[in-house]
Short mmCIF file of all heavy atoms in Angstrom, two decimals:
data_model
loop_
_atom_site.label_atom_id
_atom_site.label_comp_id
_atom_site.label_asym_id
_atom_site.label_seq_id
_atom_site.Cartn_x
_atom_site.Cartn_y
_atom_site.Cartn_z
N MET A 1 -7.33 5.66 -13.12
CA MET A 1 -7.22 5.57 -14.56
C MET A 1 -8.21 4.50 -15.02
O MET A 1 -7.92 3.32 -15.00
CB MET A 1 -5.78 5.19 -14.92
CG MET A 1 -5.54 5.02 -16.37
SD MET A 1 -3.79 4.92 -16.85
CE MET A 1 -3.22 3.51 -15.97
N THR A 2 -9.39 4.93 -15.38
CA THR A 2 -10.39 4.00 -15.88
C THR A 2 -10.77 4.42 -17.29
O THR A 2 -10.99 5.59 -17.58
CB THR A 2 -11.65 4.00 -15.00
OG1 THR A 2 -12.17 5.32 -14.94
CG2 THR A 2 -11.33 3.52 -13.59
N ALA A 3 -10.84 3.45 -18.15
CA ALA A 3 -11.17 3.72 -19.55
C ALA A 3 -11.54 2.41 -20.23
O ALA A 3 -11.44 1.34 -19.62
CB ALA A 3 -9.99 4.38 -20.27
N SER A 4 -11.91 2.51 -21.47
CA SER A 4 -12.25 1.31 -22.24
C SER A 4 -10.99 0.48 -22.48
O SER A 4 -9.87 1.01 -22.41
CB SER A 4 -12.87 1.70 -23.57
OG SER A 4 -11.88 2.27 -24.42
N PRO A 5 -11.14 -0.81 -22.77
CA PRO A 5 -9.97 -1.63 -23.07
C PRO A 5 -9.11 -1.07 -24.21
O PRO A 5 -7.88 -1.15 -24.15
CB PRO A 5 -10.56 -2.99 -23.44
CG PRO A 5 -11.85 -3.04 -22.67
CD PRO A 5 -12.36 -1.63 -22.71
N ALA A 6 -9.73 -0.48 -25.20
CA ALA A 6 -8.97 0.08 -26.32
C ALA A 6 -8.09 1.24 -25.86
O ALA A 6 -6.92 1.34 -26.26
CB ALA A 6 -9.91 0.54 -27.42
N ILE A 7 -8.62 2.10 -25.02
CA ILE A 7 -7.85 3.24 -24.51
C ILE A 7 -6.72 2.75 -23.61
O ILE A 7 -5.59 3.22 -23.70
CB ILE A 7 -8.75 4.24 -23.77
CG1 ILE A 7 -9.78 4.85 -24.71
CG2 ILE A 7 -7.92 5.32 -23.09
CD1 ILE A 7 -9.20 5.67 -25.84
N LEU A 8 -7.03 1.79 -22.73
CA LEU A 8 -5.98 1.25 -21.86
C LEU A 8 -4.87 0.59 -22.67
O LEU A 8 -3.69 0.73 -22.35
CB LEU A 8 -6.59 0.26 -20.86
CG LEU A 8 -7.49 0.87 -19.79
CD1 LEU A 8 -8.13 -0.23 -18.95
CD2 LEU A 8 -6.74 1.86 -18.92
N ALA A 9 -5.23 -0.12 -23.72
CA ALA A 9 -4.22 -0.75 -24.59
C ALA A 9 -3.35 0.31 -25.23
O ALA A 9 -2.12 0.17 -25.31
CB ALA A 9 -4.89 -1.61 -25.65
N GLU A 10 -3.97 1.39 -25.69
CA GLU A 10 -3.20 2.48 -26.31
C GLU A 10 -2.25 3.12 -25.31
O GLU A 10 -1.08 3.36 -25.62
CB GLU A 10 -4.15 3.53 -26.87
CG GLU A 10 -3.45 4.65 -27.59
CD GLU A 10 -4.42 5.68 -28.16
OE1 GLU A 10 -5.58 5.33 -28.44
OE2 GLU A 10 -3.99 6.83 -28.32
N LEU A 11 -2.72 3.34 -24.10
CA LEU A 11 -1.86 3.92 -23.06
C LEU A 11 -0.70 2.99 -22.72
O LEU A 11 0.44 3.43 -22.54
CB LEU A 11 -2.67 4.22 -21.80
CG LEU A 11 -3.67 5.36 -21.89
CD1 LEU A 11 -4.57 5.38 -20.66
CD2 LEU A 11 -2.96 6.68 -22.06
N PHE A 12 -0.99 1.70 -22.63
CA PHE A 12 0.05 0.73 -22.31
C PHE A 12 1.11 0.69 -23.41
O PHE A 12 2.31 0.70 -23.13
CB PHE A 12 -0.57 -0.65 -22.11
CG PHE A 12 0.40 -1.68 -21.62
CD1 PHE A 12 0.92 -1.61 -20.35
CD2 PHE A 12 0.78 -2.73 -22.43
CE1 PHE A 12 1.82 -2.56 -19.89
CE2 PHE A 12 1.67 -3.69 -21.99
CZ PHE A 12 2.19 -3.60 -20.71
N LEU A 13 0.68 0.69 -24.66
CA LEU A 13 1.63 0.69 -25.77
C LEU A 13 2.44 1.98 -25.83
O LEU A 13 3.60 1.97 -26.23
CB LEU A 13 0.91 0.45 -27.09
CG LEU A 13 0.38 -0.97 -27.29
CD1 LEU A 13 -0.43 -1.06 -28.57
CD2 LEU A 13 1.52 -1.98 -27.30
N ASP A 14 1.83 3.08 -25.40
CA ASP A 14 2.55 4.36 -25.38
C ASP A 14 3.78 4.30 -24.47
O ASP A 14 4.76 5.01 -24.72
CB ASP A 14 1.63 5.49 -24.95
CG ASP A 14 0.70 5.95 -26.06
OD1 ASP A 14 0.91 5.55 -27.22
OD2 ASP A 14 -0.24 6.71 -25.76
N LEU A 15 3.73 3.46 -23.42
CA LEU A 15 4.92 3.30 -22.57
C LEU A 15 6.10 2.83 -23.40
O LEU A 15 7.22 3.31 -23.25
CB LEU A 15 4.65 2.27 -21.47
CG LEU A 15 3.67 2.63 -20.37
CD1 LEU A 15 3.42 1.41 -19.49
CD2 LEU A 15 4.21 3.77 -19.54
N PHE A 16 5.86 1.89 -24.28
CA PHE A 16 6.94 1.32 -25.09
C PHE A 16 7.34 2.24 -26.23
O PHE A 16 8.52 2.38 -26.54
CB PHE A 16 6.52 -0.06 -25.62
CG PHE A 16 6.19 -1.00 -24.51
CD1 PHE A 16 4.86 -1.29 -24.22
CD2 PHE A 16 7.17 -1.57 -23.73
CE1 PHE A 16 4.54 -2.14 -23.17
CE2 PHE A 16 6.87 -2.41 -22.68
CZ PHE A 16 5.54 -2.71 -22.40
N VAL A 17 6.36 2.88 -26.83
CA VAL A 17 6.66 3.82 -27.92
C VAL A 17 7.50 4.97 -27.41
O VAL A 17 8.47 5.39 -28.07
CB VAL A 17 5.36 4.32 -28.59
CG1 VAL A 17 5.64 5.43 -29.58
CG2 VAL A 17 4.64 3.16 -29.27
N SER A 18 7.18 5.48 -26.23
CA SER A 18 7.97 6.58 -25.67
C SER A 18 9.40 6.13 -25.39
O SER A 18 10.35 6.90 -25.59
CB SER A 18 7.31 7.15 -24.42
OG SER A 18 7.34 6.23 -23.36
N ASP A 19 9.58 4.89 -24.95
CA ASP A 19 10.93 4.37 -24.73
C ASP A 19 11.71 4.30 -26.03
O ASP A 19 12.88 4.68 -26.09
CB ASP A 19 10.87 2.97 -24.11
CG ASP A 19 10.65 2.98 -22.62
OD1 ASP A 19 10.62 4.08 -22.02
OD2 ASP A 19 10.51 1.89 -22.04
N ILE A 20 11.07 3.79 -27.07
CA ILE A 20 11.73 3.67 -28.38
C ILE A 20 12.10 5.06 -28.90
O ILE A 20 13.19 5.27 -29.43
CB ILE A 20 10.84 2.92 -29.37
CG1 ILE A 20 10.71 1.46 -28.94
CG2 ILE A 20 11.40 3.00 -30.79
CD1 ILE A 20 9.63 0.69 -29.66
N HIS A 21 11.20 6.01 -28.74
CA HIS A 21 11.45 7.38 -29.19
C HIS A 21 12.63 7.99 -28.44
O HIS A 21 13.54 8.57 -29.04
CB HIS A 21 10.19 8.21 -28.99
CG HIS A 21 10.30 9.59 -29.53
ND1 HIS A 21 10.28 10.69 -28.71
CD2 HIS A 21 10.42 10.05 -30.79
CE1 HIS A 21 10.41 11.78 -29.46
NE2 HIS A 21 10.49 11.42 -30.71
N ALA A 22 12.64 7.85 -27.12
CA ALA A 22 13.73 8.40 -26.31
C ALA A 22 15.06 7.73 -26.66
O ALA A 22 16.10 8.40 -26.74
CB ALA A 22 13.43 8.22 -24.83
N GLU A 23 15.02 6.44 -26.90
CA GLU A 23 16.25 5.73 -27.26
C GLU A 23 16.77 6.20 -28.62
O GLU A 23 17.97 6.37 -28.81
CB GLU A 23 15.99 4.23 -27.30
CG GLU A 23 17.24 3.43 -27.59
CD GLU A 23 17.00 1.94 -27.57
OE1 GLU A 23 15.84 1.51 -27.49
OE2 GLU A 23 17.98 1.20 -27.67
N ALA A 24 15.87 6.42 -29.56
CA ALA A 24 16.29 6.88 -30.88
C ALA A 24 16.93 8.27 -30.81
O ALA A 24 17.94 8.52 -31.46
CB ALA A 24 15.09 6.91 -31.82
N ILE A 25 16.35 9.15 -30.01
CA ILE A 25 16.88 10.50 -29.89
C ILE A 25 18.25 10.49 -29.23
O ILE A 25 19.16 11.20 -29.64
CB ILE A 25 15.90 11.40 -29.09
CG1 ILE A 25 14.67 11.67 -29.94
CG2 ILE A 25 16.56 12.69 -28.67
CD1 ILE A 25 13.55 12.34 -29.19
N SER A 26 18.41 9.64 -28.20
CA SER A 26 19.68 9.60 -27.47
C SER A 26 20.67 8.60 -28.06
O SER A 26 21.77 8.46 -27.54
CB SER A 26 19.42 9.24 -26.01
OG SER A 26 18.99 7.89 -25.92
N HIS A 27 20.27 7.93 -29.12
CA HIS A 27 21.09 6.89 -29.76
C HIS A 27 21.45 5.79 -28.77
O HIS A 27 22.50 5.17 -28.87
CB HIS A 27 22.36 7.49 -30.37
CG HIS A 27 22.06 8.55 -31.38
ND1 HIS A 27 21.57 8.27 -32.63
CD2 HIS A 27 22.16 9.90 -31.30
CE1 HIS A 27 21.39 9.39 -33.29
NE2 HIS A 27 21.72 10.40 -32.50
N GLY A 28 20.55 5.55 -27.81
CA GLY A 28 20.71 4.46 -26.86
C GLY A 28 21.68 4.71 -25.73
O GLY A 28 21.88 3.85 -24.88
N MET A 29 22.27 5.89 -25.69
CA MET A 29 23.26 6.18 -24.64
C MET A 29 22.55 6.38 -23.30
O MET A 29 21.67 7.21 -23.17
CB MET A 29 24.07 7.41 -25.00
CG MET A 29 24.90 7.22 -26.25
SD MET A 29 25.88 8.65 -26.66
CE MET A 29 26.97 8.71 -25.27
N GLY A 30 22.95 5.58 -22.33
CA GLY A 30 22.41 5.72 -20.98
C GLY A 30 20.99 5.23 -20.84
O GLY A 30 20.32 5.53 -19.86
N PHE A 31 20.51 4.44 -21.78
CA PHE A 31 19.13 3.97 -21.73
C PHE A 31 19.08 2.63 -21.02
O PHE A 31 19.84 1.72 -21.33
CB PHE A 31 18.59 3.85 -23.16
CG PHE A 31 17.10 3.87 -23.22
CD1 PHE A 31 16.40 5.05 -23.12
CD2 PHE A 31 16.38 2.70 -23.37
CE1 PHE A 31 15.03 5.09 -23.17
CE2 PHE A 31 15.01 2.72 -23.43
CZ PHE A 31 14.33 3.91 -23.33
N ASP A 32 18.19 2.50 -20.05
CA ASP A 32 18.06 1.28 -19.25
C ASP A 32 17.10 0.31 -19.92
O ASP A 32 15.92 0.58 -20.04
CB ASP A 32 17.55 1.65 -17.85
CG ASP A 32 17.43 0.44 -16.94
OD1 ASP A 32 17.94 -0.64 -17.29
OD2 ASP A 32 16.83 0.60 -15.86
N HIS A 33 17.62 -0.84 -20.36
CA HIS A 33 16.79 -1.86 -21.01
C HIS A 33 16.52 -3.03 -20.08
O HIS A 33 16.15 -4.10 -20.54
CB HIS A 33 17.52 -2.41 -22.25
CG HIS A 33 17.68 -1.42 -23.34
ND1 HIS A 33 16.66 -1.09 -24.19
CD2 HIS A 33 18.75 -0.69 -23.72
CE1 HIS A 33 17.10 -0.19 -25.05
NE2 HIS A 33 18.36 0.07 -24.79
N SER A 34 16.71 -2.85 -18.79
CA SER A 34 16.64 -3.98 -17.87
C SER A 34 15.23 -4.55 -17.75
O SER A 34 14.23 -3.83 -17.86
CB SER A 34 17.12 -3.55 -16.48
OG SER A 34 16.18 -2.69 -15.88
N PRO A 35 15.15 -5.86 -17.52
CA PRO A 35 13.85 -6.49 -17.28
C PRO A 35 13.16 -5.90 -16.05
O PRO A 35 11.93 -5.82 -16.00
CB PRO A 35 14.19 -7.96 -17.07
CG PRO A 35 15.53 -8.15 -17.67
CD PRO A 35 16.23 -6.83 -17.55
N GLU A 36 13.97 -5.46 -15.07
CA GLU A 36 13.40 -4.87 -13.86
C GLU A 36 12.65 -3.58 -14.17
O GLU A 36 11.59 -3.31 -13.59
CB GLU A 36 14.50 -4.61 -12.83
CG GLU A 36 15.15 -5.86 -12.27
CD GLU A 36 16.23 -6.45 -13.18
OE1 GLU A 36 16.67 -5.78 -14.13
OE2 GLU A 36 16.60 -7.62 -12.95
N ARG A 37 13.19 -2.78 -15.07
CA ARG A 37 12.53 -1.52 -15.44
C ARG A 37 11.21 -1.81 -16.15
O ARG A 37 10.19 -1.18 -15.86
CB ARG A 37 13.44 -0.69 -16.34
CG ARG A 37 12.83 0.65 -16.73
CD ARG A 37 13.83 1.49 -17.55
NE ARG A 37 13.31 2.80 -17.82
CZ ARG A 37 12.58 3.10 -18.88
NH1 ARG A 37 12.31 2.18 -19.77
NH2 ARG A 37 12.13 4.32 -19.06
N LEU A 38 11.23 -2.78 -17.06
CA LEU A 38 10.00 -3.15 -17.77
C LEU A 38 8.96 -3.67 -16.78
O LEU A 38 7.79 -3.28 -16.85
CB LEU A 38 10.30 -4.21 -18.83
CG LEU A 38 9.10 -4.78 -19.56
CD1 LEU A 38 8.34 -3.69 -20.31
CD2 LEU A 38 9.54 -5.88 -20.51
N LEU A 39 9.37 -4.50 -15.86
CA LEU A 39 8.44 -5.04 -14.87
C LEU A 39 7.87 -3.92 -13.98
O LEU A 39 6.66 -3.89 -13.71
CB LEU A 39 9.14 -6.09 -14.01
CG LEU A 39 8.27 -6.80 -12.97
CD1 LEU A 39 7.07 -7.50 -13.63
CD2 LEU A 39 9.10 -7.80 -12.20
N ALA A 40 8.72 -3.00 -13.56
CA ALA A 40 8.26 -1.89 -12.72
C ALA A 40 7.24 -1.03 -13.46
O ALA A 40 6.21 -0.64 -12.89
CB ALA A 40 9.43 -1.05 -12.26
N ARG A 41 7.50 -0.73 -14.72
CA ARG A 41 6.57 0.09 -15.51
C ARG A 41 5.26 -0.65 -15.76
O ARG A 41 4.18 -0.06 -15.73
CB ARG A 41 7.22 0.51 -16.82
CG ARG A 41 8.32 1.54 -16.60
CD ARG A 41 9.14 1.78 -17.84
NE ARG A 41 8.35 2.21 -18.97
CZ ARG A 41 8.30 3.46 -19.43
NH1 ARG A 41 9.01 4.38 -18.87
NH2 ARG A 41 7.55 3.76 -20.47
N THR A 42 5.35 -1.96 -16.01
CA THR A 42 4.15 -2.75 -16.23
C THR A 42 3.31 -2.81 -14.95
O THR A 42 2.09 -2.64 -14.99
CB THR A 42 4.52 -4.17 -16.70
OG1 THR A 42 5.28 -4.06 -17.90
CG2 THR A 42 3.28 -5.00 -16.97
N ARG A 43 3.96 -3.05 -13.82
CA ARG A 43 3.24 -3.08 -12.54
C ARG A 43 2.58 -1.74 -12.25
O ARG A 43 1.44 -1.69 -11.78
CB ARG A 43 4.19 -3.44 -11.41
CG ARG A 43 4.56 -4.90 -11.40
CD ARG A 43 5.50 -5.21 -10.28
NE ARG A 43 5.74 -6.64 -10.21
CZ ARG A 43 6.71 -7.19 -9.53
NH1 ARG A 43 7.55 -6.44 -8.84
NH2 ARG A 43 6.86 -8.49 -9.51
N PHE A 44 3.28 -0.65 -12.52
CA PHE A 44 2.72 0.68 -12.31
C PHE A 44 1.46 0.85 -13.14
O PHE A 44 0.43 1.32 -12.65
CB PHE A 44 3.77 1.73 -12.69
CG PHE A 44 3.26 3.13 -12.63
CD1 PHE A 44 3.19 3.79 -11.42
CD2 PHE A 44 2.85 3.79 -13.78
CE1 PHE A 44 2.72 5.10 -11.35
CE2 PHE A 44 2.38 5.10 -13.72
CZ PHE A 44 2.32 5.75 -12.50
N PHE A 45 1.51 0.46 -14.41
CA PHE A 45 0.35 0.59 -15.27
C PHE A 45 -0.81 -0.27 -14.79
O PHE A 45 -1.95 0.18 -14.72
CB PHE A 45 0.70 0.20 -16.72
CG PHE A 45 -0.49 0.27 -17.63
CD1 PHE A 45 -0.86 1.47 -18.20
CD2 PHE A 45 -1.26 -0.84 -17.89
CE1 PHE A 45 -1.97 1.56 -19.01
CE2 PHE A 45 -2.37 -0.77 -18.70
CZ PHE A 45 -2.73 0.44 -19.26
N VAL A 46 -0.54 -1.53 -14.45
CA VAL A 46 -1.59 -2.45 -14.00
C VAL A 46 -2.29 -1.92 -12.76
O VAL A 46 -3.51 -1.92 -12.68
CB VAL A 46 -1.00 -3.86 -13.77
CG1 VAL A 46 -1.98 -4.76 -13.04
CG2 VAL A 46 -0.60 -4.49 -15.10
N MET A 47 -1.52 -1.43 -11.81
CA MET A 47 -2.13 -0.89 -10.59
C MET A 47 -2.88 0.40 -10.88
O MET A 47 -3.98 0.61 -10.38
CB MET A 47 -1.06 -0.66 -9.52
CG MET A 47 -0.45 -1.95 -9.00
SD MET A 47 -1.64 -3.14 -8.36
CE MET A 47 -2.23 -2.28 -6.93
N GLY A 48 -2.31 1.27 -11.70
CA GLY A 48 -2.97 2.53 -12.04
C GLY A 48 -4.27 2.32 -12.79
O GLY A 48 -5.23 3.07 -12.62
N ALA A 49 -4.31 1.27 -13.61
CA ALA A 49 -5.51 0.98 -14.38
C ALA A 49 -6.53 0.20 -13.57
O ALA A 49 -7.64 -0.05 -14.04
CB ALA A 49 -5.15 0.20 -15.65
N GLY A 50 -6.16 -0.20 -12.36
CA GLY A 50 -7.08 -0.95 -11.51
C GLY A 50 -7.36 -2.34 -12.04
O GLY A 50 -8.44 -2.87 -11.86
N LEU A 51 -6.37 -2.92 -12.69
CA LEU A 51 -6.57 -4.23 -13.31
C LEU A 51 -6.19 -5.39 -12.41
O LEU A 51 -6.16 -6.52 -12.84
CB LEU A 51 -5.77 -4.31 -14.62
CG LEU A 51 -6.20 -3.30 -15.68
CD1 LEU A 51 -5.27 -3.37 -16.88
CD2 LEU A 51 -7.63 -3.55 -16.11
N GLY A 52 -5.89 -5.12 -11.17
CA GLY A 52 -5.60 -6.20 -10.24
C GLY A 52 -4.23 -6.08 -9.61
O GLY A 52 -3.55 -5.06 -9.72
N ASP A 53 -3.85 -7.16 -8.98
CA ASP A 53 -2.59 -7.24 -8.28
C ASP A 53 -1.52 -7.77 -9.22
O ASP A 53 -1.54 -8.93 -9.58
CB ASP A 53 -2.74 -8.17 -7.08
CG ASP A 53 -1.48 -8.31 -6.26
OD1 ASP A 53 -0.52 -7.56 -6.50
OD2 ASP A 53 -1.46 -9.16 -5.37
N PRO A 54 -0.56 -6.92 -9.61
CA PRO A 54 0.46 -7.37 -10.55
C PRO A 54 1.38 -8.43 -9.96
O PRO A 54 1.95 -9.22 -10.67
CB PRO A 54 1.24 -6.10 -10.89
CG PRO A 54 1.03 -5.22 -9.73
CD PRO A 54 -0.36 -5.54 -9.21
N GLU A 55 1.48 -8.48 -8.63
CA GLU A 55 2.31 -9.50 -7.99
C GLU A 55 1.75 -10.89 -8.24
O GLU A 55 2.49 -11.83 -8.42
CB GLU A 55 2.38 -9.24 -6.48
CG GLU A 55 3.03 -7.93 -6.09
CD GLU A 55 4.50 -7.85 -6.42
OE1 GLU A 55 5.18 -8.91 -6.37
OE2 GLU A 55 4.98 -6.75 -6.72
N ALA A 56 0.43 -11.00 -8.29
CA ALA A 56 -0.21 -12.30 -8.48
C ALA A 56 -0.05 -12.80 -9.91
O ALA A 56 -0.15 -13.99 -10.16
CB ALA A 56 -1.69 -12.20 -8.13
N SER A 57 0.23 -11.91 -10.85
CA SER A 57 0.30 -12.32 -12.25
C SER A 57 1.71 -12.51 -12.75
O SER A 57 1.91 -12.76 -13.93
CB SER A 57 -0.42 -11.28 -13.12
OG SER A 57 0.26 -10.04 -13.05
N THR A 58 2.71 -12.41 -11.88
CA THR A 58 4.09 -12.59 -12.31
C THR A 58 4.72 -13.76 -11.61
O THR A 58 4.55 -13.95 -10.39
CB THR A 58 4.94 -11.32 -12.05
OG1 THR A 58 4.93 -11.07 -10.65
CG2 THR A 58 4.40 -10.13 -12.80
N ALA A 59 5.45 -14.55 -12.35
CA ALA A 59 6.12 -15.71 -11.77
C ALA A 59 7.31 -15.30 -10.91
O ALA A 59 7.63 -15.93 -9.92
CB ALA A 59 6.57 -16.67 -12.87
N SER A 60 7.99 -14.21 -11.31
CA SER A 60 9.19 -13.79 -10.60
C SER A 60 8.89 -12.97 -9.35
O SER A 60 9.75 -12.75 -8.53
CB SER A 60 10.10 -13.00 -11.52
OG SER A 60 9.47 -11.82 -11.94
N GLY A 61 7.62 -12.48 -9.24
CA GLY A 61 7.16 -11.76 -8.08
C GLY A 61 7.93 -10.57 -7.76
O GLY A 61 8.10 -9.94 -6.85
#
């Protein structure tokens, strides 16, 4: 996944927009808001975008 910073930013924000959309449709029932889920999705994006080692950029590791 290589693209300009603007495209990568849009893709990254789409992760959150899709979550908000899904939560609105389901009225929040069964939706996981855990910090672990956010961290996992962020790490997935960082590695997919080739932006480095996400383990090195997190304090909680």
Side-chain angles (χ1 to χ4, degrees):
M1 178 168 60
T2 58
S4 70
I7 297 297
L8 291 175
E10 183 179 334
L11 290 170
F12 187 69
L13 289 175
D14 283 348
L15 291 173
F16 302 104
V17 172
S18 67
D19 279 355
I20 292 168
H21 185 246
E23 183 178 8
I25 289 171
S26 68
H27 302 287
M29 296 181 65
F31 201 78
D32 182 11
H33 294 282
S34 71
E36 293 81 13
R37 182 175 185 271
L38 175 60
L39 183 58
R41 289 169 57 105
T42 302
R43 286 180 174 165
F44 175 81
F45 178 84
V46 168
M47 292 305 293
L51 298 175
D53 181 9
E55 297 293 328
S57 65
T58 61
S60 63

